[in-house]
Amino acid sequence: MRAKDIREKAGEEPITMLTAYDAPTAELVDAAGVDMILVGDSIGNLRLGYESTLPVTVDEIESATAAVARAAQDAMVLADMPFLSFGADEDEAVENCGRMLKEADADGVKLESGPHTVELTRRLTRIGVPVQAHLGLTPQRENETGLFRQGTDEEAARRIVDLAERHEDAGAFSLVLEHVPANVGAAVSEALDIPTIGIGAGPECDGQVLTVDEVIGLSEGVAPFSKAFGDVRGEMQDAISGYKDAVESGEFPAEEHSHYEEDVDDLY
Ligand code: KIV
């Protein structure tokens, strides 16, 4: 899948997107036919033990993106640009984003967006780096805005619609809308031709995205707008305890897990 295929799907069928941070998970997400795989900076709090997404580095996203891209056959792979990898120096931002395509084999990048990313989106798109914009709750700004629902009054909702239109005009191929009221999700989707991908933004978006850890039930609890469709955490806990108990009781390794060589019998 390429940016153009995602654009063409808008309004035809719901678009699916999930995060993945490693090759085995990406292989399963891809095999399920999910349209886009986001190597989210949520890797920070979900997989790397950070308290937020802020400490995630360009190297960490690049390495995870390369692993995901090696495993994905059909899905579009997007690298989520981490905090301060863009937004300060524009040439450096272009270089960081370009690295994701050149060195990690991503098909595009996602930028947590604002007024400061309009021109960057235009520049990246012009040189062939597909950009997915991200408005509403943008966790990289949590120190400024908190992790609250965005766009809850008329002025804030208007600002989101206006910024969404400016990013579309700058060439973004799609737009993630995070944690906004469903009627704001519907208004933005109505205002844009490019697909909107909602996360806690209601059913009127052109597609939906969640973190894979929440979907498979690996994370401890889920956000109120998310849903666990499995219990991988429970399965992992059972398997790990089962292993420990079997070693301690002498049940593992059993005869079939061991092999012997006659030639080495003379060692003693
Ligand atoms: O980092 C992430 O996982 C995200 C989304 C869930 C949209 O940005």
Side-chain angles (χ1 to χ4, degrees):
M1 282 259 177
R2 303 264 176 223
K4 144 179 148 331
D5 305 313
I6 302 296
R7 286 182 80 135
E8 283 170 8
K9 240 187 141 178
E12 298 293 320
E13 321 171 42
I15 297 168
T16 51
M17 173 161 142
L18 267 182
T19 63
Y21 315 103
D22 57 65
T25 312
E27 197 179 321
L28 294 171
V29 172
D30 186 69
V34 169
D35 297 310
M36 284 185 278
I37 303 180
L38 173 70
V39 185
D41 64 351
S42 49
I43 191 175
N45 41 304
L46 292 178
R47 296 292 179 89
L48 299 179
Y50 299 139
E51 284 194 0
S52 74
T53 60
L54 300 192
V56 175
T57 66
V58 174
D59 286 348
E60 285 165 341
I61 288 289
E62 186 189 334
S63 164
T65 300
V68 165
R70 283 192 286 273
Q73 307 278 320
D74 299 317
M76 180 175 194
V77 175
L78 294 172
D80 196 11
M81 297 311 294
F83 181 55
L84 289 189
S85 65
F86 63 100
D89 180 79
E90 203 166 287
D91 289 340
E92 204 180 300
V94 170
E95 223 167 275
N96 287 334
C97 294
R99 238 175 95 182
M100 297 301 156
L101 273 70
K102 221 174 146 125
E103 287 163 36
D105 207 19
D107 302 306
V109 298
K110 176 170 85 59
L111 301 176
E112 288 195 13
S113 310
H116 62 297
T117 54
V118 175
E119 284 318 307
L120 177 60
T121 298
R122 198 180 306 283
R123 193 166 156 197
L124 286 166
T125 307
R126 276 199 188 133
I127 59 174
V129 179
V131 176
Q132 181 174 68
H134 178 165
L135 293 170
L137 173 59
T138 46
Q140 289 174 14
R141 294 165 66 102
E142 69 164 281
N143 286 314
E144 193 199 349
T145 59
L147 292 175
F148 303 116
R149 191 188 291 261
Q150 306 289 309
T152 50
D153 61 45
E154 207 179 307
E155 197 200 318
R158 258 187 228 293
R159 240 190 345 259
I160 291 174
V161 175
D162 173 60
L163 269 176
E165 287 176 334
R166 287 170 63 196
H167 281 83
E168 175 175 70
D169 177 66
F173 76 92
S174 66
L175 170 85
V176 165
L177 262 182
E178 180 165 353
H179 213 191
V180 298
N183 45 337
V184 174
V188 176
S189 304
E190 178 67 32
L192 300 188
D193 288 331
I194 58 170
T196 52
I197 313 293
I199 171 164
E204 302 294 327
C205 293
D206 298 290
Q208 298 291 326
V209 57
L210 289 176
T211 68
V212 75
D213 288 29
E214 290 177 295
V215 165
I216 65 177
L218 176 60
S219 50
E220 242 179 325
V222 295
F225 51 74
S226 189
K227 180 173 170 177
F229 291 80
D231 179 26
V232 166
R233 192 177 181 84
E235 293 278 332
M236 283 177 80
Q237 271 165 346
D238 289 350
I240 293 163
S241 302
Y243 162 76
K244 176 181 177 285
D245 294 348
V247 170
E248 286 176 352
S249 69
E251 200 184 302
F252 181 86
E255 215 29 51
E256 71 264 31
H257 305 118
S258 308
H259 71 282
Y260 298 89
E261 296 290 342
E262 280 170 20
D263 286 354
V264 289
D265 278 352
D266 294 341
L267 276 183
Y268 303 100

